[in-house]
mmCIF file of all heavy atoms in Angstrom:
data_model
loop_
_atom_site.group_PDB
_atom_site.id
_atom_site.type_symbol
_atom_site.label_atom_id
_atom_site.label_comp_id
_atom_site.label_asym_id
_atom_site.label_seq_id
_atom_site.Cartn_x
_atom_site.Cartn_y
_atom_site.Cartn_z
ATOM 1 N N GLN A 111 105.179 110.574 82.837
ATOM 2 C CA GLN A 111 104.181 110.031 83.760
ATOM 3 C C GLN A 111 103.130 111.077 84.090
ATOM 4 O O GLN A 111 101.932 110.781 84.129
ATOM 5 C CB GLN A 111 104.854 109.538 85.031
ATOM 6 C CG GLN A 111 105.643 108.278 84.837
ATOM 7 C CD GLN A 111 106.424 107.892 86.073
ATOM 8 O OE1 GLN A 111 106.565 108.675 87.006
ATOM 9 N NE2 GLN A 111 106.934 106.675 86.078
ATOM 10 N N ILE A 112 103.565 112.294 84.335
ATOM 11 C CA ILE A 112 102.628 113.371 84.684
ATOM 12 C C ILE A 112 101.745 113.721 83.490
ATOM 13 O O ILE A 112 100.529 113.867 83.627
ATOM 14 C CB ILE A 112 103.403 114.607 85.183
ATOM 15 C CG1 ILE A 112 104.101 114.292 86.502
ATOM 16 C CG2 ILE A 112 102.481 115.805 85.326
ATOM 17 C CD1 ILE A 112 105.125 115.336 86.917
ATOM 18 N N GLU A 113 102.338 113.851 82.314
ATOM 19 C CA GLU A 113 101.604 114.286 81.128
ATOM 20 C C GLU A 113 100.701 113.203 80.539
ATOM 21 O O GLU A 113 99.609 113.504 80.075
ATOM 22 C CB GLU A 113 102.599 114.729 80.042
ATOM 23 C CG GLU A 113 103.300 116.012 80.341
ATOM 24 C CD GLU A 113 102.576 117.201 79.784
ATOM 25 O OE1 GLU A 113 101.932 117.070 78.739
ATOM 26 O OE2 GLU A 113 102.661 118.252 80.413
ATOM 27 N N ASN A 114 101.165 111.964 80.527
ATOM 28 C CA ASN A 114 100.449 110.924 79.787
ATOM 29 C C ASN A 114 99.637 109.989 80.671
ATOM 30 O O ASN A 114 98.527 109.629 80.325
ATOM 31 C CB ASN A 114 101.435 110.097 78.957
ATOM 32 C CG ASN A 114 102.170 110.944 77.954
ATOM 33 O OD1 ASN A 114 101.633 111.920 77.450
ATOM 34 N ND2 ASN A 114 103.408 110.600 77.669
ATOM 35 N N ARG A 115 100.181 109.554 81.778
ATOM 36 C CA ARG A 115 99.485 108.566 82.590
ATOM 37 C C ARG A 115 98.443 109.184 83.510
ATOM 38 O O ARG A 115 97.374 108.620 83.696
ATOM 39 C CB ARG A 115 100.497 107.781 83.424
ATOM 40 C CG ARG A 115 101.398 106.930 82.580
ATOM 41 C CD ARG A 115 102.328 106.142 83.429
ATOM 42 N NE ARG A 115 103.278 105.408 82.615
ATOM 43 C CZ ARG A 115 104.237 104.684 83.104
ATOM 44 N NH1 ARG A 115 104.394 104.586 84.413
ATOM 45 N NH2 ARG A 115 105.062 104.042 82.308
ATOM 46 N N GLY A 116 98.745 110.321 84.101
ATOM 47 C CA GLY A 116 97.830 110.941 85.053
ATOM 48 C C GLY A 116 96.444 111.209 84.502
ATOM 49 O O GLY A 116 95.438 110.828 85.115
ATOM 50 N N PRO A 117 96.322 111.859 83.333
ATOM 51 C CA PRO A 117 94.982 112.082 82.786
ATOM 52 C C PRO A 117 94.231 110.787 82.486
ATOM 53 O O PRO A 117 93.016 110.724 82.659
ATOM 54 C CB PRO A 117 95.256 112.869 81.495
ATOM 55 C CG PRO A 117 96.556 113.550 81.747
ATOM 56 C CD PRO A 117 97.351 112.606 82.587
ATOM 57 N N ALA A 118 94.941 109.754 82.086
ATOM 58 C CA ALA A 118 94.278 108.469 81.818
ATOM 59 C C ALA A 118 93.748 107.859 83.115
ATOM 60 O O ALA A 118 92.646 107.294 83.132
ATOM 61 C CB ALA A 118 95.254 107.506 81.145
ATOM 62 N N TYR A 119 94.513 107.960 84.191
ATOM 63 C CA TYR A 119 94.058 107.417 85.471
ATOM 64 C C TYR A 119 92.758 108.082 85.916
ATOM 65 O O TYR A 119 91.802 107.407 86.292
ATOM 66 C CB TYR A 119 95.104 107.616 86.565
ATOM 67 C CG TYR A 119 96.417 106.903 86.350
ATOM 68 C CD1 TYR A 119 97.563 107.332 86.999
ATOM 69 C CD2 TYR A 119 96.535 105.802 85.502
ATOM 70 C CE1 TYR A 119 98.778 106.686 86.826
ATOM 71 C CE2 TYR A 119 97.741 105.163 85.315
ATOM 72 C CZ TYR A 119 98.863 105.610 85.976
ATOM 73 O OH TYR A 119 100.059 104.986 85.802
ATOM 74 N N THR A 120 92.710 109.409 85.867
ATOM 75 C CA THR A 120 91.511 110.105 86.322
ATOM 76 C C THR A 120 90.335 109.854 85.383
ATOM 77 O O THR A 120 89.192 109.761 85.838
ATOM 78 C CB THR A 120 91.772 111.613 86.467
ATOM 79 O OG1 THR A 120 92.350 112.118 85.252
ATOM 80 C CG2 THR A 120 92.713 111.897 87.627
ATOM 81 N N PHE A 121 90.602 109.720 84.093
ATOM 82 C CA PHE A 121 89.522 109.406 83.153
ATOM 83 C C PHE A 121 88.904 108.053 83.480
ATOM 84 O O PHE A 121 87.680 107.906 83.509
ATOM 85 C CB PHE A 121 90.037 109.428 81.707
ATOM 86 C CG PHE A 121 89.043 108.912 80.711
ATOM 87 C CD1 PHE A 121 87.978 109.702 80.311
ATOM 88 C CD2 PHE A 121 89.151 107.630 80.191
ATOM 89 C CE1 PHE A 121 87.050 109.227 79.408
ATOM 90 C CE2 PHE A 121 88.232 107.142 79.288
ATOM 91 C CZ PHE A 121 87.179 107.947 78.892
ATOM 92 N N PHE A 122 89.733 107.049 83.717
ATOM 93 C CA PHE A 122 89.206 105.717 84.002
ATOM 94 C C PHE A 122 88.512 105.654 85.364
ATOM 95 O O PHE A 122 87.556 104.886 85.533
ATOM 96 C CB PHE A 122 90.292 104.656 83.876
ATOM 97 C CG PHE A 122 90.545 104.265 82.451
ATOM 98 C CD1 PHE A 122 91.722 104.614 81.821
ATOM 99 C CD2 PHE A 122 89.587 103.584 81.726
ATOM 100 C CE1 PHE A 122 91.953 104.279 80.508
ATOM 101 C CE2 PHE A 122 89.803 103.237 80.394
ATOM 102 C CZ PHE A 122 90.988 103.587 79.787
ATOM 103 N N ILE A 123 88.948 106.439 86.316
ATOM 104 C CA ILE A 123 88.242 106.504 87.597
ATOM 105 C C ILE A 123 86.833 107.053 87.374
ATOM 106 O O ILE A 123 85.851 106.505 87.888
ATOM 107 C CB ILE A 123 89.027 107.357 88.616
ATOM 108 C CG1 ILE A 123 90.304 106.639 89.041
ATOM 109 C CG2 ILE A 123 88.169 107.688 89.830
ATOM 110 C CD1 ILE A 123 91.256 107.516 89.822
ATOM 111 N N ALA A 124 86.733 108.124 86.599
ATOM 112 C CA ALA A 124 85.413 108.707 86.316
ATOM 113 C C ALA A 124 84.545 107.741 85.522
ATOM 114 O O ALA A 124 83.352 107.575 85.824
ATOM 115 C CB ALA A 124 85.590 110.021 85.549
ATOM 116 N N LEU A 125 85.117 107.091 84.532
ATOM 117 C CA LEU A 125 84.358 106.155 83.705
ATOM 118 C C LEU A 125 83.853 104.969 84.518
ATOM 119 O O LEU A 125 82.663 104.634 84.471
ATOM 120 C CB LEU A 125 85.226 105.668 82.542
ATOM 121 C CG LEU A 125 84.581 104.641 81.619
ATOM 122 C CD1 LEU A 125 83.478 105.300 80.803
ATOM 123 C CD2 LEU A 125 85.631 104.022 80.720
ATOM 124 N N LEU A 126 84.732 104.333 85.268
ATOM 125 C CA LEU A 126 84.331 103.147 86.026
ATOM 126 C C LEU A 126 83.372 103.495 87.163
ATOM 127 O O LEU A 126 82.453 102.720 87.457
ATOM 128 C CB LEU A 126 85.569 102.433 86.559
ATOM 129 C CG LEU A 126 86.438 101.784 85.469
ATOM 130 C CD1 LEU A 126 87.760 101.328 86.048
ATOM 131 C CD2 LEU A 126 85.705 100.642 84.808
ATOM 132 N N GLY A 127 83.533 104.643 87.789
ATOM 133 C CA GLY A 127 82.590 105.067 88.825
ATOM 134 C C GLY A 127 81.202 105.305 88.274
ATOM 135 O O GLY A 127 80.199 104.893 88.878
ATOM 136 N N SER A 128 81.125 105.941 87.117
ATOM 137 C CA SER A 128 79.805 106.201 86.526
ATOM 138 C C SER A 128 79.159 104.912 86.016
ATOM 139 O O SER A 128 77.949 104.733 86.149
ATOM 140 C CB SER A 128 79.921 107.237 85.400
ATOM 141 O OG SER A 128 80.779 106.773 84.389
ATOM 142 N N VAL A 129 79.959 103.990 85.472
ATOM 143 C CA VAL A 129 79.402 102.711 85.022
ATOM 144 C C VAL A 129 78.896 101.906 86.218
ATOM 145 O O VAL A 129 77.844 101.253 86.146
ATOM 146 C CB VAL A 129 80.448 101.923 84.200
ATOM 147 C CG1 VAL A 129 80.016 100.493 83.963
ATOM 148 C CG2 VAL A 129 80.711 102.624 82.880
ATOM 149 N N ALA A 130 79.620 101.950 87.337
ATOM 150 C CA ALA A 130 79.184 101.234 88.541
ATOM 151 C C ALA A 130 77.870 101.810 89.071
ATOM 152 O O ALA A 130 76.953 101.053 89.433
ATOM 153 C CB ALA A 130 80.264 101.301 89.619
#
Side-chain angles (χ1 to χ4, degrees):
Q111 288 174 347
I112 294 167
E113 289 269 328
N114 300 328
R115 293 182 185 177
Y119 297 159
T120 52
F121 171 77
F122 280 110
I123 290 169
L125 178 70
L126 292 169
S128 60
V129 168

